[in-house]
Amino acid sequence: MSDTTRDRVLIADDNEANVELLEAYLADSELDVEIAVAVDGQDTMEKAASFKPHLILLDVMMPKLSGFEVCQKLKGDPATSGIMILMVTALNEHGDMERAVDAGTDDFLSKPVDKVSLVKRVEQMLKLRNVTDELERLRRYIEQMEAER
């Protein structure tokens, strides 16, 4: 990833106050991210396709499609399976966390979200995504070099 390309974060939550809080936390951090917002599960699917986020902050309890359903669909589609997903949820039962993992989430954060935890998780997940992208580019380059021999 070049230095001029900003990481893209999609905030998917039907509660406007939650969205504003997450946006404020990210804006007040040292992260240089471009942010888009989705207001329900279907909107999240559409924005994932058009905005092409590197990371989605995904609420679980949303209209149209739950966060679990969205996560499962995104992770099951080769075009979107590489998007990092951080489920942000008020659910904190063990079964809910297990369901999130089964749906394919990369990590989860319980509400109420504190700024330090959110910013550090986002930072680490974006670093991991960038390293993964770089490894994939190197893998393709090596395959190309071997094919040309």
Side-chain angles (χ1 to χ4, degrees):
M1 177 165 172
S2 73
D3 294 335
T4 58
T5 305
R6 295 169 70 195
D7 287 308
R8 291 180 303 279
V9 176
L10 176 60
I11 299 174
D13 198 314
D14 61 316
N15 182 309
E16 190 175 333
N18 290 343
V19 170
E20 289 174 3
L21 183 67
L22 294 173
E23 283 181 308
Y25 284 171
L26 293 175
D28 195 35
S29 74
E30 292 186 12
L31 296 171
D32 181 26
V33 295
E34 183 179 347
I35 298 172
V37 175
V39 296
D40 61 46
Q42 187 59 44
D43 190 31
T44 304
M45 296 298 297
E46 292 165 6
K47 294 262 173 61
S50 63
F51 181 62
K52 299 189 183 337
H54 299 104
L55 170 66
I56 300 176
L57 304 179
L58 182 61
D59 183 34
V60 170
M61 306 302 288
M62 289 191 299
K64 298 187 181 172
L65 292 170
S66 74
F68 297 126
E69 293 169 307
V70 169
C71 186
Q72 194 166 29
K73 287 176 183 285
L74 291 173
K75 291 298 186 175
D77 182 345
T80 55
S81 64
I83 298 171
M84 300 294 286
I85 297 178
L86 175 60
M87 284 199 176
V88 183
T89 178
L91 303 175
N92 57 11
E93 297 293 319
H94 180 72
D96 297 322
M97 300 306 176
E98 193 173 292
R99 191 169 170 205
V101 169
D102 288 345
T105 191
D106 295 291
D107 204 353
F108 39 83
L109 197 56
S110 295
K111 292 179 183 176
V113 173
D114 72 271
K115 180 182 173 185
V116 173
S117 295
L118 174 74
V119 170
K120 286 311 287 180
R121 291 272 177 89
V122 168
E123 180 181 36
Q124 293 303 313
M125 292 181 83
L126 289 174
K127 279 182 184 175
L128 178 60
R129 169 63 198 252
N130 292 332
V131 167
T132 302
D133 286 351
E134 186 61 25
L135 283 173
E136 180 59 24
R137 278 192 289 276
L138 288 171
R139 186 192 63 75
R140 285 194 308 266
Y141 176 75
I142 290 168
E143 285 178 354
Q144 180 184 356
M145 293 285 103
E146 289 175 348
E148 291 175 0
R149 282 202 256 169

